[in-house]
Amino acid sequence: MITNQQQKDLKKRAMFKKLNLAINSCMELLNWTIPLIRFFRWLGSLALHLVH
């Protein structure tokens, strides 16, 4: 049987794992978002260039 202290440690560790996962997800999203924005800006500028 797990003692109360071990349960608290497990909960704390699980919380930190979730937080770490959330931070990593946000960083990964930022790393993909900036090039995507640049790509769509380039695509829009190309479209405007072709229309004119």
Side-chain angles (χ1 to χ4, degrees):
M1 180 138 179
I2 298 177
T3 64
N4 274 347
Q5 186 59 40
Q6 284 174 324
Q7 256 183 337
K8 286 178 185 175
D9 288 345
L10 282 174
K11 283 181 182 178
K12 198 180 289 186
R13 206 175 315 153
M15 185 188 69
F16 277 119
K17 272 189 175 179
K18 287 179 187 175
L19 182 65
N20 204 9
L21 182 66
I23 290 171
N24 286 343
S25 297
C26 286
M27 293 309 294
E28 198 66 34
L29 193 64
L30 277 177
N31 286 340
W32 280 101
T33 302
I34 292 167
L36 272 177
I37 289 172
R38 287 185 181 155
F39 172 72
F40 283 120
R41 268 184 28 207
W42 175 83
L43 206 60
S45 121
L46 178 68
L48 279 176
H49 179 72
L50 291 175
V51 166
H52 267 257

